[in-house]
Amino acid sequence: MKKTPWMHLGALALAVAAVAPAMAQQKSVAVTAIVEHPALDAVRDGVQAALKDAGFESGKNLKWQYQSAQGNTGTAAQIARKFVGDKPDAIVAIATPSAQAVVASTKTVPVVFSAVTDPVVAKLLASWEPSKTNVTGVSDMLALDKQMELLKQVVPNAKRVGMVYNPGEANSVVVVKELQKLLPTLGMTLVEAAAPRSVDVGSAARSLIGKVDVIYTNTDNNVVSAYEALVKVGQEAKIPLVASDTDSVKRGAIAAFGINYRDLGEQTGRMVVRILKGEKPGDIKPEVSTKMELFVNPGAAEKQGVKLPEALVKSAAQVIQ
C-alpha cells in the first residue's frame, strides 16, 4: 500500500508522543563550590551518587553541571548568576561563600546548600525551621566540645590553642566565637592567626610558633585548600595539628573527629531528589549531618612531636598509615 503524506504525519506524531514522556523526565541540577579540596569534592560526588541511586543519571535523564569558584568570591557570584540564568530544577551550593552568592542571586530557583556550618548566621535562613523560601540544605556544624575532648587526648597539657582562619568566612567566624567562650571553661585559651587568602596560610601558621601548644583547624576553605603549608609548619616547629574534617588527617593532621563529607553529600543529594520529585525547598526542614567518625594518623603524630594513646588509635574508624 502506498503511504500518503497523512500516514507520514501520523507516524511522526506517534514518534513525538513516544519521546515526550522521556523528555519530560529530563531534570537539571547545577552544582557550585567555592573551591576544590578533598572534603568539598566528596560532597559533590556524594550528591551525584545520591541522584544516581534515585534514578537521575547524568547524560541520560539528568543535565548535570559543576563549577568551582577557585576560592574567589567574585567568581562565585558570577557562577551564581550564570546558573540562575540557566533556570535548573535545583542549584546545589557547597560551602558558605558559594551558598551566600547563590541565595543572593535568586528568590525563585530552588537552592540546596551543603557544608555550611551555620546557615542562620550566614543569612541563608531565618531559622532552623522550614524556610518557606526557595532555600534549604544540610549543615556540617560540629560539636566543638567533642572536638576539644579529642584535642586534649592528643595533647593532654595543651593550654594555648592556635587557629588559622579566614576572617571573611562566616563559618570560621562562628567557630572562633564559640571557641572563645568554650576554651576558658576547659582551662585553655584561643590564639588566632588570620589567613584572608589560601596563600596566607603558611605565614599565618608560622606566626603561631612559640605562642601555641597545638593548632586546631576547622573546615575553613582557605586553610583546607592549603593544608600542606600548615602541615609543613607543624612538622618543622613540632606543633601538633588536630583537624575537624577527616580528609585533613590523610593530608597530615594527627587526628579528627569529624563528618564524613561523602555521607554529607549523599544526605544533600537525597534532599535534592525530593525537590526534583516535586517538594518545595521551603517546606523541607534544614538538616545537620550526624554521622561522626574518628580518623587518626600515628605517623603524623610522630613527625609533630607527640605519641597517640593506644586506646585512641584502637577506637578510630580509620588509622592512616
Side-chain angles (χ1 to χ4, degrees), residues 135-287:
V135 182
T136 188
V138 184
S139 164
D140 61 353
M141 186 176 279
L142 293 166
L144 283 174
D145 53 348
K146 289 187 170 61
Q147 303 276 303
M148 295 306 110
E149 278 175 28
L150 173 63
L151 186 142
K152 276 286 199 185
Q153 286 180 278
V154 175
V155 190
N157 299 318
K159 298 293 180 193
R160 302 165 300 169
V161 179
M163 184 169 157
V164 178
Y165 75 104
N166 173 12
E169 191 166 321
N171 66 314
S172 298
V173 174
V174 168
V175 173
V176 166
K177 286 179 178 174
E178 290 296 316
L179 286 177
Q180 285 170 340
K181 288 186 285 187
L182 175 64
L183 288 176
T185 70
L186 303 171
M188 295 187 284
T189 56
L190 184 68
V191 183
E192 303 158 38
R197 303 167 300 164
S198 56
V199 293
D200 300 324
V201 170
S203 59
R206 283 192 294 277
S207 77
L208 294 173
I209 295 172
K211 299 176 184 174
V212 300
D213 307 307
V214 59
I215 293 175
Y216 170 73
T217 58
N218 73 317
T219 51
D220 185 288
N221 291 294
N222 280 356
V223 173
V224 177
S225 61
Y227 210 82
E228 284 72 18
L230 206 61
V231 171
K232 187 170 185 288
V233 174
Q235 290 179 358
E236 288 173 355
K238 295 292 183 280
I239 303 174
L241 299 177
V242 176
S244 63
D245 76 293
T246 52
D247 284 299
S248 291
V249 180
K250 299 171 187 175
R251 298 166 70 191
I254 292 173
F257 182 63
I259 287 163
N260 181 313
Y261 277 84
R262 170 70 181 220
D263 287 345
L264 181 78
E266 291 181 11
Q267 185 177 353
T268 307
R270 290 191 291 272
M271 196 175 270
V272 176
V273 168
R274 291 168 64 183
I275 291 167
L276 296 184
K277 289 184 174 179
E279 282 191 64
K280 292 180 179 175
D283 293 337
I284 301 173
K285 188 179 171 76
E287 299 173 2

Side-chain angles (χ1 to χ4, degrees), residues 11 26 37 40 56 94 104 110 164 190 251 258 273 289:
Q26 178 85 18
H37 62 62
L40 301 190
F56 296 101
I94 302 171
V164 178
L190 184 68
R251 298 166 70 191
V273 168
S289 178

Side-chain angles (χ1 to χ4, degrees), residues 94-105:
I94 302 171
T96 304
S98 284
Q100 288 172 320
V102 175
V103 170
S105 299

Side-chain angles (χ1 to χ4, degrees), residues 50 62 81 111 129 191 197 319:
L62 176 70
R81 289 192 293 272
V111 179
E129 295 305 311
V191 183
R197 303 167 300 164
V319 179

